[in-house]
Amino acid sequence: MDTDYANISLTAKLTAYMRQASDIPFAKEVARFVHADEALETLLQAQQMRLEEILWYAPVFEVRYKSIASTIRKSGIKQVLELASGLSLRGLAMTQDPEIRYTETDLAGLTNEKHSLVSTLREHYHLEDQGNYDLTVANALDLAQLQAATRTFVSKQPIAIITEGLIQYLSVEELETLARNIQSLLMTYGGLWITPDFSLKEDANNTSEQQKRFRRAVAGATGREFYASAFDSDEQMQAFFRNHGLSLQALNQVDEVSEIVSLGALDEVSLSIWNRIKPKLKLWILRLL
């Protein structure tokens, strides 16, 4: 699993490309640092696709990021653990509030890359290191590593566990492991699991040919099948997490966001696609039963 998981760094670069059209903190700097333009151009050329065919992803990634940050703030939780965080720097932005402790985890390659990036940003923006933001090597499917990643958290105070853009790459068995790991952490600390990642097979398959081509390209580059762990129905999804001692609450991501800056970068066709998909953009909040 480790090798495949590390290869998903490509999708982190593609996400970085799309986020630079927004006002997400540090998004433009991240995209430049990892040469996101080059990564996307290489992928598009290989599939003979044009940027305009996938530009509607920009607001998708923007509202996903912003709805998670908004939900964390509304929860009042001050300890956050983000799993497979990729090139997101949500923790660096949120820990400008000294009351918040935020740990971002990923495998070694991406984590080392982020250490260098964060150091550069701290120097450029004169951001003080207040000791409340950590970048830690940990595999989301290894409970011992996740427990070690929470070593700086205060016990018996709730945590928010974030997974963004991970679960669509997992098999059913891997999702089982992830759910058990997160349940274990929530039993220790209490709190929430916040994620936009769950999918129904019907929705995952009901996509345009361009989107299917792009997914195939990313799947080929990462070596991971898309949506292998998608659920047959909402009832099956509810039962799956009930069996892991968790309850589900669904929000619409767009409802949690006050402004979507990247919409200004879309053409008429991309806007029409966005308007069709935005009602389906859910954010799930899970709690212990």
Side-chain angles (χ1 to χ4, degrees), residues 98-118:
E99 293 187 0
I100 292 179
R101 172 164 290 283
Y102 204 116
T103 296
E104 295 179 7
T105 68
D106 214 310
L107 294 189
L110 272 172
T111 301
N112 292 337
E113 192 169 17
K114 284 175 72 173
H115 273 293
S116 177
L117 174 56
V118 168

Side-chain angles (χ1 to χ4, degrees), residues 13 16-17 20 31-32 34-43:
K13 293 181 180 181
Y17 180 93
Q20 68 183 327
R32 285 197 301 269
V34 300
H35 306 289
D37 296 44
E38 296 174 17
L40 181 61
E41 183 179 356
T42 299
L43 193 66

Side-chain angles (χ1 to χ4, degrees), residues 229-249:
S229 61
F231 296 97
D232 293 328
S233 64
D234 186 69
E235 291 75 18
Q236 184 197 31
M237 180 167 61
Q238 296 280 350
F240 176 91
F241 289 106
R242 229 180 5 255
N243 289 338
H244 288 88
L246 298 165
S247 67
L248 279 168
Q249 174 191 0

Side-chain angles (χ1 to χ4, degrees), residues 72-108:
I72 295 170
R73 292 189 186 98
K74 288 179 181 178
S75 75
I77 293 174
K78 304 297 185 183
Q79 303 187 122
V80 185
L81 176 67
E82 183 161 358
L83 310 183
S85 58
L87 294 168
S88 169
L89 295 181
R90 187 171 23 240
L92 181 61
M94 295 194 74
T95 52
Q96 299 312 298
D97 177 350
E99 293 187 0
I100 292 179
R101 172 164 290 283
Y102 204 116
T103 296
E104 295 179 7
T105 68
D106 214 310
L107 294 189

Side-chain angles (χ1 to χ4, degrees), residues 34-76:
V34 300
H35 306 289
D37 296 44
E38 296 174 17
L40 181 61
E41 183 179 356
T42 299
L43 193 66
L44 292 177
Q45 285 181 347
Q47 295 299 310
Q48 297 183 320
M49 296 182 69
R50 296 176 295 108
L51 175 62
E52 291 77 11
E53 295 179 83
I54 61 165
L55 201 54
W56 56 269
Y57 272 113
V60 171
F61 287 120
E62 180 179 351
V63 299
R64 198 172 75 177
Y65 176 103
K66 288 182 173 179
S67 64
I68 291 171
S70 173
T71 302
I72 295 170
R73 292 189 186 98
K74 288 179 181 178
S75 75

Side-chain angles (χ1 to χ4, degrees), residues 162-173:
I162 311 301
T163 56
E164 179 189 1
L166 169 65
I167 291 171
Q168 55 264 45
Y169 296 97
L170 300 184
S171 67
V172 173
E173 293 77 14

Side-chain angles (χ1 to χ4, degrees), residues 252-266:
N252 180 271
Q253 294 175 32
V254 179
D255 292 342
E256 304 303 308
V257 175
S258 59
E259 184 179 16
I260 309 173
V261 173
S262 57
L263 289 178
L266 303 191

